[in-house]
Amino acid sequence: MRKLFMAILMLFGGEGICQDGIKVACVGNSITQGPGRSHPESYPMQLQEILGEEYLVKNFGVSGSTLLKSGDKPYWEEPQFEMSKNFDADILILKLGTNDTKPQNWKFHEDFKKDYIDLVETFKASMKETSQLYICFPVPIFQDNWGITSSILENEIIPILKEVAEITGVLTIDLHKEMSEKSSLFPDGIHPDKEGNRVMAEKISSHILKKHL
């Protein structure tokens, strides 16, 4: 039965499944997009499998995207930004910040907090009052690569995300702590493999189900 369910997900990317159920939007960069937005190994599609047919999970990840509006690939300018707002999500999982640690992006670090608050408030304005938005603390960077820098993520970005959550009143999911001792699940030191995506999906699902049981 599970294989059949996942085959349907691969074929339709989650479309056509429980359109009137609880909608979950996954917003983020390549760690959210995974091998593909409808790929069964991506964390959103594994989240769909865990949550079951009462939920509709949609992957709005964009590889390389930044939270910063002045970044080299702002999520704000991607088609998935408008698509995620129009999805009318009951739950939105926001996981951005890893690409912002690159030198060409972090030179705009003074705008990070303001831009993040702006993004949260923009999403909240597109959602129902009863909807829930979660900020994820990004998974660890086990090996600096492509300009992505662990020290900036840990010492600057995550503290800012805690401030943003307090200011905006949204919930948080600490994927950084959850994955801190799981370096073996990150083949290139930055992107989790299938098992790593499963750990992420299980952590996120535990927060969702706690609120909706």
Side-chain angles (χ1 to χ4, degrees):
M1 189 69 175
R2 173 174 292 185
K3 290 182 179 179
L4 176 60
F5 181 56
M6 293 308 295
I8 294 171
L9 287 179
M10 289 179 66
L11 182 60
F12 296 104
E15 299 293 347
I17 297 176
C18 191
Q19 294 291 340
D20 297 323
I22 300 171
K23 294 183 177 181
V24 182
C26 298
V27 171
N29 48 43
S30 59
I31 297 172
T32 296
Q33 181 174 328
R37 295 190 186 96
S38 300
H39 198 288
E41 292 185 8
S42 68
Y43 101 70
M45 291 300 96
Q46 295 198 58
L47 179 62
Q48 174 73 80
E49 182 186 7
I50 294 168
L51 293 176
E53 298 177 11
E54 293 182 3
Y55 291 79
L56 172 62
V57 181
K58 186 73 174 178
N59 187 341
F60 294 102
V62 178
S63 180
S65 59
T66 67
L67 178 283
L68 281 161
K69 295 177 182 179
S70 299
D72 57 5
K73 191 176 181 181
Y75 190 83
W76 303 82
E77 299 177 6
E78 297 297 321
Q80 284 72 23
F81 177 47
E82 292 300 324
M83 291 166 63
S84 59
K85 288 192 296 179
N86 294 333
F87 183 57
D88 193 26
D90 299 292
I91 300 166
L92 191 142
I93 310 298
L94 181 53
K95 187 189 179 300
L96 285 165
T98 301
N99 291 309
D100 297 270
T101 67
K102 297 176 181 178
Q104 68 268 29
N105 297 322
W106 199 239
K107 67 182 180 181
F108 302 108
H109 66 91
E110 292 182 354
D111 296 330
F112 188 81
K113 181 177 176 180
K114 174 178 62 69
D115 286 356
Y116 211 116
I117 291 173
D118 195 5
L119 185 62
V120 168
E121 295 298 344
T122 299
F123 274 126
K124 286 172 67 176
S126 72
M127 300 165 71
K128 297 183 289 290
E129 287 188 12
T130 56
S131 299
Q132 296 166 352
L133 192 153
Y134 292 87
I135 289 176
C136 292
F137 300 160
V139 298
I141 297 167
F142 292 103
Q143 179 181 336
D144 291 359
N145 212 342
W146 305 297
I148 295 172
T149 308
S150 175
S151 60
I152 292 175
L153 179 67
E154 295 181 3
N155 300 325
E156 300 189 60
I157 283 183
I158 290 179
I160 292 174
L161 296 186
K162 293 178 180 178
E163 293 180 29
V164 171
E166 184 174 353
I167 292 169
T168 59
V170 300
L171 302 166
T172 62
I173 300 175
D174 194 345
L175 295 177
H176 191 272
K177 182 178 180 180
E178 181 72 16
M179 311 289 282
S180 63
E181 297 182 2
K182 295 180 170 60
S183 60
S184 63
L185 305 183
F186 291 73
D188 62 4
I190 292 174
H191 299 90
D193 60 13
K194 177 182 178 181
E195 185 179 348
N197 284 333
R198 186 71 179 188
V199 174
M200 288 175 57
E202 289 174 347
K203 177 68 173 180
I204 292 169
S205 70
S206 70
H207 282 261
I208 292 174
L209 293 173
K210 188 186 302 181
K211 287 286 183 180
H212 285 265
L213 284 177

